[in-house]
C-alpha cells in the first residue's frame, strides 16, 4: 500500500502553492459552513488548552528533577499550587485586565469582575465558544509563575511565594498582555509577539531575575573565595520527562495561538507552526550538545534539555512566517544563548536553580527581536521596515522589562519586609520539605551526602 | 497583533447570550452537515478516550509514588494489568451488560457476548462510529479498578487482586452503569450523574472500602496502643505526576461525556465543561493547602494532590450546568472533605494507602448530591424540585453503595476463603515486589530503614 | 440521564452495518465539504503527530528506567538527542528519499534537498496541508533510532551513537520506507504494512540486533562459566510510565496512519483502529503475565511492559481489518513471543538491555506475517491468496532484514575502526554518565552496590 498517494502530485509535480488561500470564503462544494468553523475553532482552543495545561506538569517535573531532593516535595507543591492560583486569579480579575476591549492602552479598561460574565455563551458571531477561548488564555497564565518557581527554588518560603504568584498572575501578567494581545499601546505600535516570547516567557523571566536578585543565592552556592559550588539536580530522568512534556505542550502553546482552524488557510498555518516549533527545539538541542561537547568535552544533559526549551521559547514570538530552515536557526541560536549565559549568571552571582532566566528571558528576548527578520507589521496602512520593526520589538522588550521588573521588585520587597521571603538558614540547609511541607520526597532513599 | 479580536465584541459589548442555541439545526450557510457532525462526534469520543486511557498511567504513577518502595513494582504491574483486564472484560460481557437497551431496569437485558457484534460499523443514523463510543466506554471501566488498587495496596496478593478486578470490571461496574446510563431504574427516577461521580468513582470507592475492611490494615499500621503509624509514600514527584496526568485525563472524562460536538451548542458545552472541571480542581487544591496550613502549620503536598482529585471527582456528576464560581465551590468542598476524612478513616482503623476512599467515595457522594442544586431532572414531563432531586440523588448513592458493597464483600470473602487474599506477614514485611514480582522497583538505591 | 441514547437503536435493534460507506461522497445534507475534509484530515495528522512525538518521551522513560542508574543520564541525553537529529535529518534528506514519487522502486528518485520545498503550502487538491503530513512522517522517523538506543544502551559512546542515528534516520530508514509507502517495489508486489511493523519497528530491530552483535555484550553480563548475570533496571516506575506513554502514543501511530478522517468511513476506520490497537496491547499484557506466572511463579513486571509493547508492535502492520477478537489474539501471540525469546537472546549471548529485539523485531515480523490472514492485496487487478500474501509479506520482512542488516553492519564497523564504539572498560564499569555527560542521574541517592 502506498501511504501517501497525494504526495506525488503535491510535492513532486512542482505544484506547490505558497500562499494560504482562505478557502472558507469560497462558495460551493468546498466551503466550510459557519457552524462547522465555529466547532473547529473551539476544538483548537480545547486541544491547545489541554496541551498547555499539561505544561504545568512539565514545569513541575523539570523543577522537581533539578532541585536537590530535600526540596523536591516543596517544588511539587509550589507547582500544583501556582497552577491552581493562576486559574483562580485569572477568573477573578486577570482575564478582564488582559482583554479589556477599548481602553487607554496602558492600564485600565477593566470591565468588572469576571465572575459576572458567562463563559457558557455560544455566539455564532464570534466564531468560537467563549469558554474555549477563556480556557486557552487561562492556561497560559500559569506559565509565567512556573518560570519564577524554578529560578527561586530551594530558598523561598511557601506562603510568600504563593502571594507573589497571586499578584503576578492576577495583575502583572494580565497588564502586559493587555498591551499587545488586548489591543494596547504595543499593538498600536506594530509590536509582534505571536504566542508570547515576551508577553509570557520574558515576563516570567523578568520576575524571576528580580526575584533571584532580591531573594539572594542559596546558602553556600557562591563561596567567599569566588568559587561556584554546583548543586546538582537530584533526578535527571524527571527533568528529562519535564522537558518532553513541555515540548509536547508547546504544540498547543504555539499552534493554538493561531486562534482558528475553521478555514483551510488557518489549519495549514497551525500545521506549519507545529513543524517550525518542533524544528526550533531540535535545533536548540543539537546546538547545545555540540557546544557543550566542544567546550567541556562532555555533552551536558541539562544543557540539552534547556537547549530544547530555549529553542521553543525563541520560536514562540513568530512560529508561522519563518521557513523550516530559519526556524532551526532561530532555535539553534536560542540553544547557544543558554550554553553561554548560564555560566554568565553564575559570574554575576545570580542563582537560577533551573536555568529559567537564560531559557525564558534571554532566549525570549532573542526570539522577540528575531521576529523583525521574518515579518513586519503594518501600522496605519504602512508596512514597517526591518529596522523599524526591530526598534518596535526592542521597545516591547524594554517596556515589559521595566514594568515587570519594577512591579516584581515592589512585591518581593514588600514580602521581604513583612512576612520575610527566606526560611531560616537552618531550615534551608535541612531542606524546605521537612519544615514547610512535612512530607519528604524520597523518605526511604539513603542520601550520599 | 491583537490576539483576540472577537473578544471585544463578544465580552465587552455586552452581547453575551446565555442560551446554547442548536445552530446545527439551522438551515443555510451556518449548518453543520450530517457527515461532518458524525466525524466530529466520533472525534470527540476518540480524543476523550485517549485522554481517559492516559488516566491509567496517572493512577499507576500516583500509587507507585504513594506506596513504599518495596511494593512499587507490584503496584506498577497491578495497574497495567488491571487496565488490560478491564478492557478485555468490557469486551467479553461488560459493554452489553452496561448498555442492554430495553430491559427490566435492574439486571439483565444482556444481549449476548459482545464479540458477536461489530465495532467497525459506520451508521450515519447513530451520529458517531460505534467503535469510538465503545472505545470511550471501555476506558472508563478501568477507573473503578484503579481506585481499589490504590486503597488495598501493599497487602493483597496479585492473583486474587486480578480476580477481583475481573469481576468488578466485567459484572459489578456494568450493572451499576446500566441503572443510569443504560436507561435503567435510576434513570427512570430522574437520577443525574453526568460523567460518573457515583457510577464510576463511588463504585470504585465502595469496592475499595469493603476491601480495606475485609482485607484489614497493613501490618504495623495501627499500633496496639492506638497509635497510628505513618507509612510515607516513597516517591512524591511520581505521585505529583500521577495527579497531573489524572487532571489532564479528566478533560476527556468529563468533556467527552457530553457525547457530541457536532453542533455549536454541544461544542460550547464541552468547552464549558473544560473550564468547570479545571476550576473545581483548582478550588480543591487551594482549599486543601489552606486547610492543612491552618490545621497543621504545614501544607501537606499529598493532601494538595488529593484535593485536586477530590475537586475533580466532585464536579464529575455535573460539570456543565454550574457557573464557574459554583464549580470552584463544589471542588473546594471536595478538597475540604479530603482534609477532614483522611484522619477519620485512620480513627476507624480503615487503612487506605493512597486516600482513595475520601477522594473517590466521599467526594463522589458530595458531588452527586450537589447536582440537585444546579440541575433538576424532568420525570414524566414534570421537573423535580430541588428537594426531590436531592432525594433521588441520595437513592442513587444508596443503591450503588448497597449493591457494590454486598457484591464486593461476597467476592472478597470468597477469595479469602479460597486463595487467600493476604500474603504471609513475612512477605508483607519484606515487600511484595520480591515475593510476587521478582523485580525490585529501585534495586540500586540504598534504603534508610 | 441515559448516556447513550443512540446505542439502543444501533446495537440492539440489529441494525449494524458492516460496510464503511463513503458518506462524504453523498450529495445533500449529509455531505462533508472539501474544505471541511481538508481541515479534518490535517487535524488527524496533527493529533497523530503530537501523539507520536510523545512516544519519544516514552522511549526515554522506558530506557531510563531499565538501565542501571550509572547510565541513566546518558540514556536521557541519547533519547532527546536522537529525536532531534531524526527530525533534522528527515528535513535535510529523509523525507525526499522516503517519498520520491516516480522512481525505480529501490533507491533513488531523490528530488533534491527538502529545504528547497515549502511545507507551508495549502493546496485543496491534496486534501490536507503539506506541513501536517510532513510533521506526521517526521515523528515516525525517530522511533527507529529509539529502538536501537535501548538495545545497545550502557556500552556505546555518545558520539558514534549519534553518528549511527544520523545515517539510520537520514538514509537507511527512508530507503526502506520508499519501498512500500513511497510506492517502491514492495508496494508493487502487494506487500502490506499499515503503520510500520516492518518498515519502522523491524527496521529499528534489525539495526539494534546488528548493533548488539557487533558492539558486544556489556562487560560482565555473560560469565565465562556460561552464567547470565542479570543487571536489573534501576527504576521500574519510570519504565512503566514509558510503556504507558508509548501505548498512548500508539493511538496516533496507528490511528493517524489511516491518513484521513474527512469522510464518515475514514473516521470510523480510525476509531476501529483505536479499539484494535488497545485490545492487542491488552492481550499482550495479560498473556505475558499469565506465562511468566506459570513459568517462573512470579509475574515479571518488565515482561508485562514488554508484552504491552509487543502487542502494539504486532497489530501495527494491520490494525484496521481484524475484528476485536483477532486483534487480541495477534497481540497475545506478540506477548508470548517476548516471554519466550528474551531468554533465547541471552542463550545466544546477544545483550539487549531493554528487550527491544523481541518486542520490535520478533513481534514486528509476527505482525507483518499475520497481515496475510486478515487482508490480501490486489496486484494487477487480481487479489492475492492468503498463501501468496504470506509469501509477499515474508519477502518484505527478508528484504528489510538484508538491507538494514548489511547497511547497519557497515556503519557499525566503520565507527568501530575509526572512532571506536565502546568506551573503555573502566568507563563502562564506572558508568557513562560521569565520563561522557558529566551529570549523574541521581547524585544524592546512595547505591546498594
Amino acid at each position: 500500500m502506498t501511504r501517501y498517494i497525494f504526495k506525488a502530485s503535491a510535492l513532486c509535480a512542482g505544484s506547490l502553492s505558497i500562499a494560504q488561500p482562505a478557502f472558507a470564503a469560497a462558495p460551493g462544494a468546498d466551503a466550510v459552513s459557519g457552524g462547522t468553523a465555529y466547532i473547529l475553532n473551539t476544538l483548537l482552543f480545547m486541544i491547545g488548552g489541554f496541551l498547555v495545561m499539561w505544561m504545568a506538569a512539565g514545569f513541575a517535573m523539570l523543577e522537581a528533577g533539578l532541585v536537590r531532593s530535600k526540596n523536591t516535595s516543596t517544588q511539587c507543591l509550589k507547582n500544583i499550587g501556582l497552577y491552581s492560583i493562576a486559574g483562580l486569579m485569572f477568573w477573578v480579575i486577570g482575564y478582564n485586565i488582559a482583554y479589556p476591549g477599548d481602553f487607554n492602552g496602558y492600564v485600565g479598561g477593566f470591565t468588572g469582575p469576571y465572575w459576572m460574565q458567562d463563559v457558557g455563551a455560544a455566539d455564532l458571531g464570534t466564531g468560537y465558544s467563549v469558554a474555549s477561548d477563556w480556557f486557552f488564555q487561562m492556561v497560559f497564565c500559569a506559565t509565567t509563575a512556573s518560570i519564577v518557581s524554578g529560578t527561586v527554588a530551594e530558598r523561598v518560603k511557601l506562603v510568600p511565594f504563593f502571594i507573589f504568584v497571586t499578584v503576578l498572575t492576577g495583575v502583572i501578567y494580565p497588564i502586559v498582555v493587555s498591551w499587545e494581545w488586548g489591543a494596547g499601546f504595543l499593538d498600536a505600535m506594530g509590536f509582534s509577539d505571536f504566542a508570547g516570547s515576551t508577553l509570557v516567557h520574558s515576563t516570567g523571566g523578568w520576575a524571576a531575575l528580580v526575584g533571584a536578585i532580591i531573594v539572594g543565592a542559596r546558602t553556600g552556592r557562591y563561596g567567599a573565595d569566588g568559587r561556584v559550588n554546583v548543586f546538582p539536580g537530584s533526578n535527571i530522568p524527571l527533568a528529562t520527562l519535564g522537558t518532553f512534556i513541555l515540548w509536547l505542550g508547546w504544540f498547543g502553546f504555539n499552534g493554538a495561538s493561531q486562534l482558528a482552524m475553521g478555514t483551510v488557510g488557518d489549519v495549514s498555518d497551525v500545521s506549519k507552526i507545529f513543524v517550525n516549533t518542533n524544528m526550533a527545539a531540535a535545533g536548540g538541542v543539537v546546538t547545545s550538545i555540540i557546544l557543550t561537547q566542544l567546550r567541556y568535552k562532555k555533552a551536558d544533559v541539562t544543557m540539552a534539555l534547556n537547549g530544547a526549551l530555549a529553542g521553543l521559547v525563541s520560536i514562540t514570538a513568530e512560529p508561522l512566517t519563518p521557513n523550516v530552515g530559519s526556524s532551526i536557526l532561530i532555535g539553534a541560536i536560542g540553544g547557544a544563548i543558554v550554553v553561554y549565559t548560564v555560566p554568565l549568571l553564575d559570574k554575576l552571582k545570580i542563582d537560577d536553580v533551573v536555568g529559567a532566566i537564560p531559557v525564558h528571558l534571554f532566549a525570549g528576548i532573542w526570539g522577540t527581536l528575531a521576529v523583525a527578520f521574518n515579518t513586519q507589521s503594518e501600522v496605519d496602512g504602512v508596512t514597517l521596515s526591518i529596522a523599524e520593526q526591530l526598534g518596535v520589538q526592542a521597545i516591547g522588550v524594554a517596556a515589559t522589562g521595566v514594568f515587570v521588573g519594577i512591579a516584581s521588585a515592589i512585591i518581593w520587597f514588600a514580602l521581604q519586609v513583612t512576612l520575610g521571603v527566606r526560611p531560616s538558614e537552618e531550615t534551608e540547609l535541612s531542606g524546605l520539605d521537612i519544615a514547610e511541607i512535612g512530607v519528604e520526597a524520597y523518605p526511604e532513599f539513603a542520601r550520599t551526602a
Side-chain angles (χ1 to χ4, degrees), chain A:
Chain A
M1 175 183 71
T2 52
R3 183 158 171 168
Y4 304 101
I5 50 167
F6 297 133
K7 199 257 182 182
S9 61
L11 276 185
C12 301
S15 67
L16 287 170
S17 61
I18 293 167
Q20 304 274 349
F23 285 106
D30 288 338
V32 180
S33 76
T36 302
Y38 178 103
I39 294 169
L40 291 165
N41 291 338
T42 298
L43 180 60
L44 180 71
F45 280 131
M46 292 196 294
I47 294 174
F50 76 62
L51 287 174
V52 177
M53 175 272 163
W54 184 225
M55 292 172 74
F59 281 111
M61 292 302 106
L62 180 69
E63 297 174 14
L66 292 181
V67 299
R68 288 167 294 174
S69 64
K70 64 185 174 185
N71 297 313
T72 299
S73 286
T74 303
Q75 214 56 27
C76 290
L77 179 59
K78 280 181 176 172
N79 272 279
I80 199 164
L82 74 84
Y83 176 76
S84 301
I85 291 170
L88 294 174
M89 288 310 296
F90 202 66
W91 173 68
V92 174
I93 49 171
Y95 186 68
N96 269 11
I97 291 176
Y99 304 104
D102 195 27
F103 75 126
N104 60 37
Y106 297 91
V107 188
F110 179 65
T111 54
Y114 185 70
W115 59 75
M116 301 189 60
Q117 299 180 340
D118 175 39
V119 296
D123 179 350
L124 200 57
T126 60
Y128 55 79
S129 98
V130 171
S132 70
D133 170 51
W134 192 87
F135 181 67
F136 185 65
Q137 308 307 332
M138 181 269 295
V139 289
F140 266 63
C141 183
T143 300
T144 310
S146 299
I147 295 164
V148 179
S149 161
T151 293
V152 301
E154 305 203 291
R155 80 277 201 190
V156 168
K157 288 193 290 183
L158 198 68
V159 173
F161 174 76
F162 280 148
I163 294 174
F164 184 83
V165 166
T166 304
V167 181
L168 178 68
T169 59
V171 181
I172 297 174
Y173 167 76
I175 287 176
V176 175
V177 165
S178 77
W179 293 349
E180 168 68 359
W181 294 340
F185 80 97
L186 285 178
D187 176 55
M189 291 175 65
F191 182 67
S192 181
D193 188 6
F194 193 91
S197 286
T198 285
L199 302 192
V200 183
H201 294 279
S202 294
T203 292
W206 290 114
L209 176 63
V210 170
I213 293 170
I214 294 174
V215 172
R218 288 168 291 176
T219 302
R221 178 89 164 90
Y222 301 113
D225 54 351
R227 213 181 48 182
V228 176
N229 296 307
V230 176
F231 294 166
S234 54
N235 196 326
I236 296 302
L238 272 197
T240 305
L241 175 66
T243 302
F244 273 115
I245 292 174
L246 289 165
W247 193 326
L248 172 60
W250 232 288
F251 295 117
F253 201 94
N254 286 359
S257 289
Q258 176 73 12
L259 307 178
M261 64 168 185
T263 67
V264 165
D266 276 321
V267 82
S268 300
D269 283 355
V270 175
S271 64
K272 190 181 172 195
I273 292 169
F274 270 46
V275 171
N276 285 346
T277 299
N278 189 76
M279 299 308 277
V285 169
V286 171
T287 305
S288 303
I289 292 175
I290 291 173
L291 289 179
T292 54
Q293 181 73 37
L294 292 177
R295 190 167 172 181
Y296 304 108
K297 307 292 173 208
K298 302 196 180 190
D300 185 330
V301 61
T302 62
M303 284 291 187
L305 303 180
N306 274 334
L309 299 178
L312 290 162
V313 170
S314 300
I315 201 67
T316 294
E318 183 48 274
L320 176 58
T321 53
N323 59 32
V324 177
S326 299
S327 299
I328 295 170
L329 185 65
I330 290 168
I333 292 173
I337 287 171
V338 163
V339 173
Y340 290 107
T341 58
V342 164
L344 183 71
L345 283 176
D346 272 340
K347 274 193 191 141
L348 298 169
K349 299 195 180 181
I350 294 170
D351 187 13
D352 179 359
V353 177
V354 303
I357 296 169
V359 165
H360 298 276
L361 179 55
F362 300 158
I365 292 172
W366 153 242
T368 305
L369 297 178
V371 171
F373 302 104
N374 286 293
T375 189
Q376 295 83 38
S377 302
E378 195 181 287
V379 179
D380 298 332
V382 182
T383 302
L384 299 180
S385 70
I386 292 181
E388 287 169 333
Q389 186 73 44
L390 204 55
V392 170
Q393 298 300 100
I395 290 171
V397 167
T400 304
V402 169
F403 171 67
V404 177
I406 292 173
S408 298
I410 291 170
I411 311 299
W412 282 120
F413 271 124
L415 289 167
Q416 202 169 49
V417 297
T418 52
L419 292 171
V421 172
R422 287 188 77 124
S424 71
E425 195 175 306
E426 192 192 343
T427 295
E428 190 187 337
L429 291 177
S430 64
L432 302 184
D433 287 1
I434 294 172
E436 294 230 298
I437 314 292
V439 175
E440 287 183 88
Y442 311 103
E444 298 181 30
F445 301 158
R447 299 245 176 78
T448 53

